[in-house]
Each structure stands twice: as structure tokens, then as C-alpha cells.
Amino acid sequence: MGVVIDQVTMQVVRYALEQIADEMGYTLVRTSRSTIIKEVMDITCAIFDAQGHTIAQAHHAPMLLTGFEITMVELIKRFPPGTLQEGDVVISNDPYLGGQHIMDIQTMAPVFFGGNLVGYVGAIAHQSDMGGAAPGGVAGGLTEIYQQGFTNLNIPEEYGGSGIDPLTALIITEEIARGCSAVATSSSCNSLATYPILIGGNEEQKQRFLRPIAEEGLYASFCLTEPGAGSDVASLSTIARKDGNKYIINGRKQFITSANVASFLTVFCQSGTAKGHSTISTLVFESNTPGVTIGRKERKMGLRASTTCEVIFEDVEVLVENLISGEGAGFKLAMETLNKARPTTGAMALGIAQAALEASVNYAKERIQFGKPIVQQQAVQMILADMAMKVETARLLVYKAGYLMAKGLPYTKESAMSKCYAADIAMEVSTDAVQIFKRVWLYKRLPGRKVYA
Ligand SMILES: Cc1cc2nc3c(=O)[nH]c(=O)nc-3n(C[C@H](O)[C@H](O)[C@H](O)COP(=O)(O)OP(=O)(O)OC[C@H]3O[C@@H](n4cnc5c(N)ncnc54)[C@H](O)[C@@H]3O)c2cc1C
């Protein structure tokens, strides 16, 4: 039997709950940057019972709540009691889970009392207003990933970037790679090209290059690798010869991600007479500078949605003001850049491994042999358990690297470990997935095939 309370007490409780919902709304308004949230208050916040039914709502835009309750009930089905802990927040932008005339972002957080789940609190705002989409854009009109704010994760807000912390950036990269590692490669290639500017560039260079990259969705490529210089970076042979107030660049770069769509190139060259670490310099310039040719586009066995090209420099004239951090500083810049970028590659590998695991579990549940799903065979369960364990350990290492970076603590060791380990795990888990799928993985349309190549 429920608790019987008099009407006065009930009104007091009701107003108290509405005050809480209102306060949630005002907090969202105070902490947001979007005009439509800050000034129009086109959001709503509410408190729900343990079944997802509304018990109090904020006064901001109550009509938004009509679809929100549908979402809450669906989210509770997906995250039933026992799956969420205090402090967890579920964020959804799934248009099939409810929403209004344009796509929305809904948040849901469980509320506990005495260790028991007693209800949920949530907030809803249009997706384009949450800071994800391009200014003025609506989700349905998005054509490029940068409009969602998923590129340039390393660029601070003062230069038009997202300014988010490195750990969150890794989680975003992991999620993108879980869907498609080639898209993750494309969406994160700007980081490689912009880190040298962020690390060693002067203010004028940061404004000139970072701002258009972040604000106009332009691409930039990191041009280090050459036919004769892969791991051995110091042996690169592209030459930048100083001639008055400019450098004249000649050479050839290889395996350069997104070079065919890049507006800017960050290029590592030998600027001295002898080859070696101490004579490498870094120049950043427009890709349409006369003398730059984008050469062969590699036909890769995987990552085909990300382009990888040759870049050829023939008497390319670049002003000395495009030199980053002085002559001879290039090797250190390259190493510091790779140091920062390695966990991103680890996160991509992690996303691939996670996708392989999920595809394998789903397939093992569906595939019937010997009269039952193969997931019921202990030998298959053991493969899946090992896969899950490897994915989780890789995740811990990648997240640890991100955490250390976010805290400003030394991360060189964890950065290298996270890339190396997660990449190995991605290979192992994808190979295990092939064992689960067997003949079926050869079919291109199946996810088991996609994560392997
Ligand atoms: C999809 C893709 C995108 C890329 N994008 C870019 C980009 O945007 N910009 C860019 O500059 N480069 C890019 N690269 C190039 C990449 O950074 C190089 O592949 C990498 O530096 C390794 O060089 P390599 O392939 O020539 O291998 P190599 O250096 O030839 O190495 C071959 C093998 O030898 C091993 N090896 C080498 N040296 C040693 C040693 N001292 N001790 C033990 N083992 C060793 C390596 O571990 C490896 O197993 C890309 C590559 C790929 C595959």
C-alpha cells in the first residue's frame, strides 16, 4: 500500500520537486554557451519516478517533455536498474527514442536514496543547441563530421576548437572507430598536423592556421614519412634550402593522411647541409602553394574511407615566417607530436576491438549449430571471454594515458604503451572474431569482415 499524505503536504512536496527541476534548468542555462539555451531557454529538465514517468518538470519549455518521457521509458529498458551507478549519466541523441521537431539530446541520471534507485533526473535540448552542430545548423542538415564537433578535439577554444580534455577526446575517437576506423582516422588527422603549431607555433601562426581549420572545417596533413624514412624519422631527405626570406622545398612525402583534401600541410624537412636530428625543421603552409603536387592515392587493404597519398614538393617557396619554432627544432616537435597522438591511435584500435567483440557476441547468439546457438558452447564462450578481457585491459591503458594527459602529468610511457598494446589487441581480437564468424567473415557486408580489414 502506498503512503497516504494530506493535500497540503502533497502540494509542499510538489513545489519542492518543481523547485529542484527549475534549479536544474537554471544551472543548464547558466552553464551553456548556446544562445537559444541561454536566452530563449528552449530546454526542459524534469524528475521522473523509477518507471520513467514525470513527477516534476521545470518551467522553461515544458512542451519538450512530451517526447522526453517516451525517451526515459526506453532508456530505462536499455539501462535497467542495476546497470547504472550513482554519478552515471546516459546521453542519447537517438531520434527513434523520442524527440521533437528536430533531433534532441537527452540526458538521464539515476537518483538513489539509501542505496535504492528511486527515480531519475533528466534534461533535454535540441542537438544543434547543445554545442555539437555547426552554428545555426540542424542535425538533419549535417554533412561533415566537423559540424558535430568531433574533429579538432585537440584545439583549444581560444583558437576555435572544442577545447575538451584529452580523455574525453579519446573516448570520442574510440566511439567513432567502433563505427568506422577510417572515419576516425580522417577525423583525427588534423590533430597530428596541428600539434606542431600548438606546441611550437607563435601566436600569429596559431591564429592564421588553427582558426580556419577549427572554424571552417578545413583539413590539414602531417607530412613526416618518406619512402626512405618511416620509423627512422631523422633520415628524412626532403630539403628546405634557405634563400633570403624564404625556404625552397624539394622532396617527396608518402602515406600522408588526407593530403588530397588538406588545405594546409605541416612539413618536416632537412634545413641544414647534413642529415640528422638537429637539422630537421618544420614549415606549415597552404597546400595550393605552387610546386606542391598531390601524388598517388594508396590503395589500402583497409581504412579505405581515409585517403593516404604521396605529396611531392618541387621548388616550393615558403616564407620564413611559416617556420615553426626555429630551425632545427623539427625533430623534437615531431617526437612531441607523436607522443601526444599515440593514445589517439590506441583509442582507434580500441574502437576496432570493441566492434569486433560486439559483432562476435551478437553472431554467436544468432548462429545455430548442433541445435543451439554457438554461444552456448563453452569453447566459444572462452574465446569471447578472452576477447572481452583484452578489450577491457586495452581500454584501461588508453584511458590512463588520457587521464595523465588531462591532469598534466608525465604520460610518455603510457602513451607509447597504449598505442602498442591496443593495436596488438585489435589484431588479436579481430582474428578471434574471424574464428567466431568462420566462413561468414569473408562476406563484405558483415561487421566481422569490416573490423578485420
Ligand atoms: C594508414 C596510414 C596512415 C598514415 N598517415 C601518415 C601521415 O598522415 N603522415 C605521416 O607522416 N605518416 C603517415 N603514415 C606513415 C606511418 O607513420 C609510418 O608507416 C610509420 O612511421 C612506420 O614507417 P614504415 O611504415 O616505413 O615502417 P618501417 O620504418 O619501414 O618499419 C618496418 C618494420 O620494421 C620495424 N622497425 C623499424 N625500425 C626498427 C628498429 N630500430 N628496431 C626494431 N624494429 C624496427 C618496425 O617496427 C616495423 O615493424 C601513415 C601510415 C599508415 C599505414
Side-chain angles (χ1 to χ4, degrees):
M1 199 174 102
V3 179
V4 178
I5 54 171
D6 63 89
Q7 288 191 351
V8 174
T9 309
M10 190 168 158
Q11 283 297 82
V12 171
V13 171
R14 180 193 143 193
Y15 284 126
L17 290 170
E18 282 183 1
Q19 287 284 321
I20 294 170
D22 273 348
E23 190 52 43
M24 286 166 57
Y26 287 120
T27 305
L28 180 54
V29 168
R30 266 201 310 275
T31 54
S32 74
R33 285 187 292 155
S34 158
T35 313
I36 200 154
I37 293 182
K38 255 193 152 27
E39 292 176 16
V40 186
M41 296 188 186
D42 193 8
I43 48 125
T44 203
C45 296
I47 302 173
F48 302 87
D49 67 15
Q51 284 71 47
H53 302 305
T54 314
I55 52 178
Q57 66 186 64
H59 288 97
H60 300 101
M63 55 86 74
L64 288 179
L65 205 60
T66 48
F68 197 12
E69 192 168 309
I70 299 169
T71 311
M72 290 301 292
V73 172
E74 283 303 315
L75 288 179
I76 292 170
K77 280 188 203 155
R78 292 188 188 192
F79 298 91
T83 57
L84 295 178
Q85 297 171 4
E86 200 157 359
D88 284 347
V89 179
V90 175
I91 304 174
S92 165
N93 69 343
D94 187 340
Y96 296 101
L97 287 189
Q100 295 291 318
H101 49 292
I102 52 179
M103 281 165 72
D104 295 319
I105 288 184
Q106 298 106 339
T107 61
M108 167 184 112
V111 178
F112 292 89
F113 183 74
N116 298 318
L117 181 84
V118 292
Y120 299 89
V121 290
I124 183 169
H126 298 315
Q127 183 169 10
S128 51
D129 305 333
M130 293 290 279
V138 292
L142 296 179
T143 53
E144 294 185 33
I145 198 164
Y146 94 92
Q147 295 171 307
Q148 286 284 47
F150 292 154
T151 54
N152 306 312
L153 299 174
N154 64 325
I155 299 183
E157 276 182 80
E158 58 190 300
Y159 302 114
S162 66
I164 60 170
D165 69 275
L167 177 56
T168 309
L170 291 176
I171 294 170
I172 291 172
T173 305
E174 174 194 343
E175 274 300 301
I176 297 173
R178 184 170 149 245
C180 178
S181 51
V183 173
T185 304
S186 297
S187 68
S188 55
C189 92
N190 275 0
S191 307
L192 265 180
T194 53
Y195 270 133
I197 306 169
L198 279 164
I199 297 167
N202 57 36
E203 190 54 32
E204 186 272 330
Q205 289 168 336
K206 288 179 183 170
Q207 294 291 348
R208 186 150 59 102
F209 296 107
L210 300 181
R211 216 161 251 296
I213 288 169
E215 292 178 351
E216 296 166 36
L218 302 181
Y219 280 100
S221 286
F222 175 81
C223 304
L224 180 66
T225 304
E226 297 181 1
S231 308
D232 183 12
V233 173
S235 70
L236 65 84
S237 56
T238 294
I239 302 286
R241 182 173 53 80
K242 197 161 181 193
D243 181 13
N245 68 342
K246 57 183 185 277
Y247 287 95
I248 299 173
I249 305 175
N250 281 285
R252 178 183 292 263
K253 297 287 176 179
Q254 203 178 34
F255 294 130
I256 306 304
T257 301
S258 301
N260 60 330
V261 291
S263 299
F264 302 107
L265 305 173
T266 305
V267 183
F268 293 82
C269 320
Q270 295 285 357
S271 58
T273 43
K275 264 193 190 182
H277 305 87
S278 58
T279 50
I280 295 177
S281 299
T282 314
L283 289 145
V284 55
F285 50 91
E286 288 76 5
S287 61
N288 61 3
T289 306
V292 175
T293 308
I294 306 303
R296 190 182 68 224
K297 194 169 122 185
E298 304 295 342
R299 296 186 66 192
K300 306 191 294 297
M301 66 180 283
L303 295 175
R304 281 178 293 273
S306 161
T307 55
T308 316
C309 307
E310 278 187 318
V311 185
I312 300 127
F313 304 102
E314 289 169 304
D315 293 328
V316 179
E317 295 188 7
V318 177
L319 292 173
V320 288
E321 63 211 39
N322 291 23
L323 177 71
I324 305 176
S325 194
E327 270 196 26
F331 184 79
K332 192 159 178 275
L333 271 181
M335 292 304 111
E336 285 183 33
T337 294
L338 296 174
N339 203 16
K340 285 184 184 293
R342 282 188 186 106
T344 304
T345 312
M348 285 184 214
L350 177 58
I352 293 169
Q354 178 68 36
L357 172 64
E358 286 171 17
S360 302
V361 170
N362 291 339
Y363 182 72
K365 284 181 184 167
E366 284 168 14
R367 178 68 177 158
I368 311 282
Q369 285 292 277
F370 301 100
K372 58 184 178 184
I374 60 170
V375 77
Q376 289 180 19
Q377 305 289 354
Q378 197 176 23
V380 173
Q381 291 172 3
M382 285 161 73
I383 297 175
L384 293 172
D386 279 349
M387 290 166 78
M389 185 174 62
K390 289 173 183 174
V391 171
E392 205 55 38
T393 48
R395 178 168 289 117
L396 289 173
L397 207 39
V398 170
Y399 287 8
K400 183 175 180 187
Y403 171 82
L404 293 173
M405 289 171 83
K407 290 282 174 196
L409 296 166
Y411 59 87
T412 304
K413 183 181 76 181
E414 288 77 5
S415 159
M417 282 179 167
S418 67
K419 178 185 175 186
C420 178
Y421 186 73
D424 283 349
I425 290 306
M427 284 304 295
E428 287 174 25
V429 170
S430 307
T431 307
D432 289 340
V434 173
Q435 292 306 316
I436 302 284
F437 278 85
K438 270 298 183 218
R439 66 197 166 94
V440 175
W441 86 274
L442 280 168
Y443 303 153
K444 238 180 173 174
R445 66 192 158 81
L446 286 169
R449 172 68 165 72
K450 182 168 169 60
V451 295
Y452 197 75

